[in-house]
Amino acid sequence: MTLADPSIEKLSVRLRSGTRLDHDAAQGSGFLDALAAGTLPRQAYADLTAQHWFIYETLEQAAEAMADDPVAGEFVFPQLTRLPALSDDLATLLGPQPKLSELPATQEYRERLRAVAFDRPWGFIAHHYTRYLGDLSGGQYLGPAIARAYGLSGAGHRFFVFEGISPPAFRTGYRDLLDRLAFSPGDEQNFLAEVTEAYRLNIAVLSELKERWV
Ligand code: HEM
């Protein structure tokens, strides 16, 4: 057995290397880059924010449902909660009572969350990781770029700003939590497959947004 042996590599490392291609597909979907470059109308950014609102509403309901779970509860951090920031952003972008329309891919995403994230730790953690660790990684570049592109300062891009959290320190602590998970081999497989599924669902939302706006 060597240090490179996959059977002893940490889960956070295997997760990251095992989903690198999924991540690159999500990153390369084009819609986010176009927003960051400011080549799309402001309504396109409002539409992304609306889809996020639907997704985080369900994800954060799952966090409430899982708060007392001995395994998943370790991943429930109230300071990550994004729904109030998203509501605030929508009010800035679309006015006080915005009419939101949910894309079919967003509906499918929420159905998957309802199926696996409310009572299965591997399902909840897979979806939690894909969104929040992404928001605390690439999101930290994307947020300022979008703010610059659409002339926003504070209001309108609160989703990207995590008050009271240092993203690099949080990411390190989060990976430690992942590495301390004691999943059965079956549940670990379910977890890794669900992260790929979460990326697929995100890519589908981004593709529908791209079809509508690009
Ligand atoms: C323009 C789009 C994007 C850019 C520029 C971007 C960029 C990045 C960067 C620079 C990292 C950090 C890699 C490292 O620590 O070395 C990262 C990590 C991550 N991103 Fe993205 N990303 C984008 C889109 C997405 C999307 C759409 C998702 C999923 C919804 C996502 C999910 C993640 C996750 C979960 C991580 C953490 C990986 C890990 O360390 O385990 N990213 N991203």
Side-chain angles (χ1 to χ4, degrees):
M1 216 184 251
T2 69
L3 274 182
D5 187 325
S7 66
I8 55 167
E9 194 117 58
K10 290 175 174 176
L11 179 59
S12 63
V13 176
R14 284 183 287 125
L15 169 61
R16 191 164 147 172
S17 55
T19 57
R20 194 176 298 279
L21 292 178
D22 301 309
H23 179 271
D24 292 352
Q27 179 172 350
S29 73
F31 182 76
L32 295 174
D33 281 343
L35 280 184
T39 56
L40 302 180
R42 192 178 153 112
Q43 285 294 104
Y45 169 54
D47 201 355
L48 173 70
T49 306
Q51 306 315 311
H52 280 159
W53 191 93
F54 288 114
I55 292 162
Y56 282 83
E57 185 195 39
T58 307
L59 183 57
E60 291 175 359
Q61 284 168 354
E64 270 180 44
M66 285 300 213
D68 295 329
D69 181 277
V71 177
E74 296 281 303
F75 289 80
V76 175
F77 297 93
Q79 67 272 36
L80 287 180
T81 308
R82 295 292 83 200
L83 203 62
L86 286 164
S87 298
D88 195 273
D89 289 345
L90 286 171
T92 301
L93 297 165
L94 297 174
Q97 279 170 334
K99 274 179 61 193
L100 309 181
S101 85
E102 189 180 358
L103 287 165
T106 304
Q107 284 170 17
E108 192 197 345
Y109 196 153
R110 298 220 290 173
E111 275 159 27
R112 186 66 191 164
L113 287 170
R114 288 189 200 105
V116 300
F118 281 69
D119 58 1
R120 285 164 236 203
W122 56 262
F124 174 70
I125 300 166
H127 284 280
H128 189 275
Y129 159 83
T130 309
R131 279 303 336 177
Y132 294 108
L133 221 62
D135 299 333
L136 288 165
S137 305
Q140 297 305 296
Y141 302 97
L142 199 56
I146 286 177
R148 256 192 317 275
Y150 296 96
L152 303 165
S153 67
H157 67 110
R158 296 199 197 283
F159 169 71
F160 296 101
V161 181
F162 288 80
E163 299 290 347
I165 288 184
S166 150
F170 193 92
R171 292 198 304 263
T172 303
Y174 197 98
R175 290 192 185 108
D176 287 345
L177 275 182
L178 289 172
D179 293 335
R180 286 207 298 273
L181 280 170
F183 279 142
S184 67
D187 278 358
E188 186 175 301
Q189 267 319 104
N190 289 334
F191 167 71
L192 293 169
E194 194 62 28
V195 171
T196 292
E197 177 63 5
Y199 274 117
R200 188 190 70 75
L201 291 162
N202 276 282
I203 293 166
V205 172
L206 293 171
S207 304
E208 289 186 8
L209 284 166
K210 189 172 167 185
E211 256 168 55
R212 189 184 270 179
W213 293 104
V214 179

